[in-house]
Amino acid sequence: MKTNITLFVAFLFLGTTLGFSQNEEECNQTLSIMTEYVKAKNFKAAYEPFKKLRTECPKYNPGAQFKYGEDMFEGLIDETEGDVKKGYIQELSDLWDARIVEYAKKSPKGKYLAKKAELRYDNRKLLGLTDAMIYNEFDAIYKTDLANFKSPKGLYVYFKSMVSLYDAKQKTAQELFDKYDDVVDKLEKETDFNTKKLNEYVEKEASGATLAKKEARYKKFYSQTVNALEKIAGSVDTELGDRANCSTLIPLYQKDYEANKNNGQWLQRAMNKLYSKGCKEDPMFVKIVKQKNTVEPNEDTAYYLYLITGEQQYFDQTLSLTTDPLKKAKLYNKIAKDFKAKGSYGKARNYYMKAMELNPSSKNAHLQIANMYGNSAKNCGSDNFTQRAVFWLAAQEAEKGGNASAASRYRGLAPTKTEIFNKSMGGKTIKIGCWIQRSVTVPNI
């Protein structure tokens, strides 16, 4: 009797195992069929095996299901119009919702809800979405999972929709400026994170080491991410435009000053906004800076006090309070920008170079130096040839800054091959005077 029971239990176990293996094999076959269709861009054919997977094998290889399912729906959305397209948009949105629940460890809510909101924004006319509806979707992501709300496009659309609401008088100026600061803070945080990662690989290469293939891919990813974030930051500033100017900002901050004079964040943001919009000569800027330095001194307040007073003690305080390399690099860039605006190009270049030492992956400093060289060409040569030779220096800096079109433009302003030949200058070195004090080798022809 005991033997019969044992055999019966063994039979049940074996049957269960065989059933599971058979089901797993069928799931694998269905997934393979769907995957091959997606890779071949035959999205319509992939739809049925995908639906079968979601119905019969929802827990089988979820990473592949969600990845290829997303690719499939994006393809179907591109291929269709009208109500059919709306249906696929809804299904892809539902898929991302399911992914957040079923594959939580690999699916940060902020990332996939942003994908969903961006998809709906891209199809806002078809879906009949208003600016308020778009804003509220992104605002919910910002409030529930800011840490994983990293999409440059999503952050831009979030602010752009706020601007639209402000223009429609549905949001106040204070709400607009607060949201600008929120988005800029987030973009800066993400840029700093990705820049630090990028610098690890830049510094490794600078030491003479060769990056492994995986490291090279990471370097490319972080570089592209930083570039995207910086472009979006510029677009956010463009969206804000003249809505934030001295005549708008100063009365607003005067009205709210007493209620916020002990609020460090409010003072910091007001100070930064007034500075960036060229209001630093106004007494309100000075008042806010001094109050911020009393309540919560930091490198920014010390720097602004240096600008206001010109006293060396505040400049020294600024540097001593700044310990983070990226923050110090930003500070040097800020100082360099001020010197450049004043026409003190030598001092500006010095600080741009200090910024690059601290942040070797930064390209903006090279572009600024190229611009200063270009602006100085007429003043830094003994004759027409040597004056225009300055453009070769500008081209070199533009190349380092990753701007091939600017480099090409500068070369087009430099002496031609005919001029080089007529003066027998090919391969010779020219010493550039004035503030530049650099040498450039004339190209051989």
Side-chain angles (χ1 to χ4, degrees):
M1 183 67 177
K2 185 182 290 186
T3 301
N4 290 338
I5 292 173
T6 302
L7 288 171
F8 178 69
V9 171
F11 175 76
L12 283 176
F13 177 76
L14 180 62
T16 302
T17 304
L18 287 171
F20 175 74
S21 298
Q22 183 179 7
N23 184 56
E24 190 176 61
E25 186 176 340
E26 289 176 1
C27 292
N28 186 53
Q29 288 177 349
T30 306
L31 178 60
S32 295
I33 292 169
M34 189 266 284
T35 300
E36 290 307 312
Y37 278 136
V38 173
K39 288 180 178 179
K41 300 190 183 302
N42 190 349
F43 304 117
K44 288 183 179 179
Y47 185 78
E48 286 307 317
F50 169 78
K51 295 297 286 184
K52 183 178 180 182
L53 275 173
R54 296 300 298 149
T55 302
E56 300 178 8
C57 316
K59 295 183 180 180
Y60 180 77
N61 199 342
Q65 282 197 42
F66 288 122
K67 194 271 181 197
Y68 288 106
E70 178 178 328
D71 292 346
M72 178 195 72
F73 279 122
E74 287 178 344
L76 289 169
I77 289 167
D78 287 340
E79 293 175 352
T80 55
E81 298 292 338
D83 288 340
V84 176
K85 185 172 189 170
K86 285 173 69 174
Y88 288 135
I89 290 170
Q90 186 58 55
E91 287 194 77
L92 179 52
S93 298
D94 292 341
L95 182 67
W96 281 325
D97 287 339
R99 175 172 184 145
I100 291 169
V101 175
E102 299 173 25
Y103 199 44
K105 288 185 179 180
K106 298 282 187 177
S107 310
K109 185 179 289 186
K111 176 180 178 178
Y112 286 93
L113 289 180
K115 279 176 169 277
K116 179 178 171 180
E118 287 170 32
L119 174 67
R120 287 168 55 76
Y121 169 77
D122 289 340
N123 296 278
R124 56 195 178 281
K125 289 185 180 179
L126 177 65
L127 300 176
L129 301 179
T130 64
D131 290 327
M133 293 165 72
I134 293 167
Y135 176 80
N136 289 336
E137 286 189 36
F138 283 105
D139 195 45
I141 301 166
Y142 181 89
K143 290 174 178 175
T144 56
D145 192 14
L146 178 58
N148 291 302
F149 184 12
K150 301 180 180 184
S151 165
K153 177 182 176 181
L155 289 163
Y156 169 72
V157 174
Y158 182 32
F159 182 67
K160 180 180 172 66
S161 57
M162 164 58 86
V163 171
S164 297
L165 293 175
Y166 169 77
D167 288 347
K169 303 190 184 306
Q170 295 178 37
K171 295 288 184 181
T172 66
Q174 187 64 64
E175 288 175 315
L176 173 67
F177 300 148
D178 284 346
K179 193 49 57 185
Y180 171 85
D181 290 326
D182 288 343
V183 171
V184 167
D185 285 349
K186 179 61 177 174
L187 287 169
E188 287 182 350
K189 193 171 293 184
E190 293 302 324
T191 301
D192 287 353
F193 172 81
N194 286 279
T195 299
K196 287 176 181 177
K197 290 291 185 181
L198 174 60
N199 283 341
E200 292 175 12
Y201 299 109
V202 171
E203 289 167 1
K204 183 173 181 178
E205 282 186 315
S207 70
T210 301
L211 297 182
K213 286 184 178 180
K214 186 176 182 180
E215 291 176 317
R217 287 197 301 271
Y218 277 125
K219 181 192 172 188
K220 182 179 180 181
F221 167 78
Y222 289 123
S223 178
Q224 290 175 336
T225 303
V226 169
N227 288 339
L229 288 164
E230 288 178 344
K231 285 179 181 178
I232 290 299
S235 297
V236 166
D237 281 337
T238 300
E239 283 294 331
L240 182 63
D242 291 335
R243 294 172 183 84
N245 53 46
C246 298
S247 60
T248 303
L249 293 169
I250 291 167
L252 179 67
Y253 293 140
Q254 287 174 334
K255 177 174 70 71
D256 295 338
Y257 176 78
E258 284 301 321
N260 292 282
K261 65 182 181 181
N262 294 312
N263 182 333
Q265 184 186 60
W266 186 91
L267 292 167
Q268 180 76 46
R269 288 181 166 186
M271 183 176 70
N272 289 345
K273 189 74 67 6
L274 289 170
Y275 174 80
S276 67
K277 293 302 177 180
C279 313
K280 54 182 178 286
E281 304 300 326
D282 192 272
M284 193 63 202
F285 174 74
V286 178
K287 183 177 182 178
I288 289 174
V289 171
K290 289 183 176 179
Q291 178 66 7
K292 177 63 167 60
N293 202 48
T294 300
V295 173
E296 199 177 75
N298 63 16
E299 63 268 24
D300 287 328
T301 56
Y303 171 67
Y304 289 137
L305 285 170
Y306 164 69
L307 290 179
I308 292 167
T309 66
E311 294 179 18
Q312 186 67 31
Q313 60 168 319
Y314 292 119
F315 181 73
D316 295 338
Q317 182 189 12
T318 302
L319 295 179
S320 66
L321 287 170
T322 310
T323 56
D324 182 88
L326 289 184
K327 285 186 177 180
K328 189 168 282 191
K330 288 178 182 177
L331 175 64
Y332 281 137
N333 274 313
K334 196 181 288 184
I335 295 172
K337 183 179 178 182
D338 283 333
F339 277 122
K340 182 188 173 193
K342 295 173 183 176
S344 299
Y345 286 170
K347 289 182 179 179
R349 181 180 62 187
N350 180 45
Y351 285 112
Y352 279 129
M353 292 175 69
K354 286 178 180 290
M356 286 188 285
E357 288 175 10
L358 293 167
N359 182 11
S361 66
S362 174
K363 296 180 179 179
N364 177 64
H366 287 296
L367 297 176
Q368 297 301 324
I369 293 172
N371 178 261
M372 291 190 294
Y373 285 163
N375 290 343
S376 303
K378 290 183 179 179
N379 304 316
C380 293
S382 56
D383 56 25
N384 181 267
F385 189 94
T386 55
Q387 286 172 357
R388 289 166 59 206
V390 173
F391 289 114
W392 282 317
L393 283 176
Q396 291 171 10
E397 290 296 328
E399 278 188 339
K400 292 176 184 176
N403 193 327
S405 62
S408 178
R409 179 168 55 82
Y410 285 129
R411 285 197 186 89
L413 296 170
T416 64
K417 290 182 179 180
T418 301
E419 291 170 315
I420 294 171
F421 176 79
N422 289 339
K423 288 186 173 288
S424 301
M425 291 296 290
K428 293 184 179 179
T429 299
I430 297 174
K431 175 75 174 179
I432 307 297
C434 70
W435 72 270
I436 294 179
Q437 295 298 311
R438 294 286 190 271
S439 295
V440 63
T441 301
V442 179
N444 283 308
I445 56 172

